Amino acid sequence: RVDRRQRQMCIRDRVSTQSTGSSMSAKSTKVIALFDVDGTLTESRKAAKPEILKLLEALREKITIGTVGGSDMIKQKEQLGEDITSRVDYAFSENGCIAYKDGVLIHNNGIKDFLGEEKLKLFLNRVLHKLADIDIPIKRGCFIEFRTGLINISPIGRNCSQQERDDFYEYDKIHRIRERLVTELQEEFAESHRLKFSIGGQISIDVFPIGWDKTYCLKHLEGFEEIHFFGDKTMPGGNDYEIFIDNRTIGHTVNSPEDTIALVNKLWLNK
């Protein structure tokens, strides 16, 4: 079997070669570029810069494009624009539990029905106890955000300011607050509740049923010959890891929106 890394390199070389052809070539409907949001298209929880939106517009003329994020669609619209579901071919929020194609909702699935009220209540009560026991410099509000397809847990609280968010992110790099919390929750709930835990963004942890990570969105992309995924949290434990290593995707690690622009230009836009 061809090694995954060798396969990715061959495809990247071919894409790069193809991008040097005529700029008037027809759009490829068999290739899709799928982008994470935070850290890939935008800085964490910030609005996309105009150059990113221009990049997506130019790329959509070449190939199919899509977004996939752990946040709900309200937050994606805040970052990428109210019309994001129609500016890309596919828009996936909450890892694909909410899915839009050409601006039309095509899928909606929820974690509440998966767990049931008793398991859900047991889990939430336990998380609240654990969060209360965590000692960090500051805490704000909204420690648990219940979304359609996942639960988001934040030790500092999602109501923190941007500066407090940045400060916690640096603090967490040293003290590994989220990493330790993930380990504890996995030991207690991974088997009994069939839940998966991953670190996402700067301040939180995403919780979802096993198999409901970002690979969940791939069920809507079965007709594509190449699925390129761009993300920043591609390391083990990051919320881009599962889709990055999936055999159906060609993974690209980026560290910032600027990285994304440079790589997309190199692969497809011949810049």
Side-chain angles (χ1 to χ4, degrees):
R1 189 178 67 173
V2 177
D3 179 80
R4 171 184 165 81
R5 182 172 296 178
Q6 290 178 328
R7 171 177 168 267
Q8 288 187 346
M9 290 178 64
C10 289
I11 291 176
R12 288 171 186 166
D13 288 343
R14 188 174 80 243
V15 170
S16 182
T17 300
Q18 290 172 344
S19 72
T20 62
S22 171
S23 60
M24 299 299 291
S25 59
K27 174 176 176 175
S28 172
T29 58
K30 292 298 184 180
V31 178
I32 182 170
L34 195 58
F35 298 92
D36 166 54
V37 181
D38 279 348
T40 302
L41 293 179
T42 76
E43 295 180 38
S44 186
R45 286 299 298 129
K46 294 183 179 180
K49 295 178 180 179
E51 50 264 40
I52 279 287
L53 300 180
K54 290 179 181 177
L55 182 84
L56 294 178
E57 183 179 359
L59 184 58
R60 196 180 185 190
E61 295 179 1
K62 297 280 188 178
I63 60 174
T64 304
I65 64 172
T67 58
V68 55
S71 295
D72 56 40
M73 187 53 70
I74 292 174
K75 291 185 180 65
Q76 274 202 36
K77 288 182 176 181
E78 289 173 353
Q79 293 177 264
L80 300 174
E82 283 293 325
D83 57 349
I84 186 58
T85 58
S86 58
R87 293 184 66 167
V88 297
D89 300 288
Y90 291 87
F92 301 117
S93 62
E94 305 188 41
N95 293 346
C97 290
I98 309 297
Y100 286 81
K101 180 182 180 182
D102 298 325
V104 178
L105 181 67
I106 60 170
H107 184 77
N108 188 333
N109 198 9
I111 191 172
K112 181 178 68 174
D113 294 333
F114 175 85
L115 286 175
E117 288 298 343
E118 286 304 312
K119 282 190 173 182
L120 179 60
K121 183 171 65 175
L122 174 65
F123 173 73
L124 293 176
N125 286 342
R126 192 75 182 108
V127 170
L128 287 170
H129 277 291
K130 288 183 177 295
L131 290 174
D133 291 337
I134 293 175
D135 185 21
I136 54 179
I138 64 168
K139 291 185 179 181
R140 294 299 180 252
C142 192
F143 300 100
I144 297 177
E145 185 174 80
F146 190 87
R147 301 173 184 169
T148 303
L150 58 84
I151 298 168
N152 184 265
I153 300 169
S154 175
I156 185 176
R158 298 193 63 87
N159 287 351
C160 62
S161 68
Q162 184 61 52
Q163 184 60 57
E164 291 165 343
R165 172 187 288 266
D166 295 340
D167 291 344
F168 175 81
Y169 183 57
E170 295 303 320
Y171 182 88
D172 192 45
K173 288 180 182 179
I174 299 170
H175 299 280
R176 301 184 180 278
I177 302 298
R178 290 184 293 171
E179 184 179 311
R180 294 205 301 270
L181 182 58
V182 163
T183 299
E184 292 176 9
L185 291 173
Q186 281 178 334
E187 291 175 354
E188 192 165 349
F189 293 104
E191 186 173 343
S192 64
H193 285 49
R194 292 193 54 76
L195 292 175
K196 180 83 174 177
F197 305 84
S198 67
I199 295 172
Q202 291 180 300
I203 62 169
S204 61
I205 296 164
D206 289 335
V207 184
F208 42 83
I210 293 173
W212 288 26
D213 50 63
K214 286 182 180 173
T215 61
Y216 187 97
C217 75
L218 298 179
K219 66 172 64 182
H220 303 294
L221 305 176
E222 293 180 351
F224 290 93
E225 295 175 359
E226 294 178 13
I227 302 172
H228 293 258
F229 172 75
F230 296 77
D232 65 315
K233 294 290 191 299
T234 58
M235 73 296 289
N239 64 355
D240 296 326
Y241 177 70
E242 289 83 5
I243 191 170
F244 176 77
I245 66 166
D246 193 281
N247 285 330
R248 292 168 289 181
T249 69
I250 301 151
H252 306 272
T253 300
V254 295
N255 295 310
S256 66
E258 290 73 24
D259 271 359
T260 302
I261 291 172
L263 188 52
V264 167
N265 281 336
K266 179 181 178 182
L267 290 175
W268 288 292
L269 300 181
N270 194 26
K271 292 183 180 180

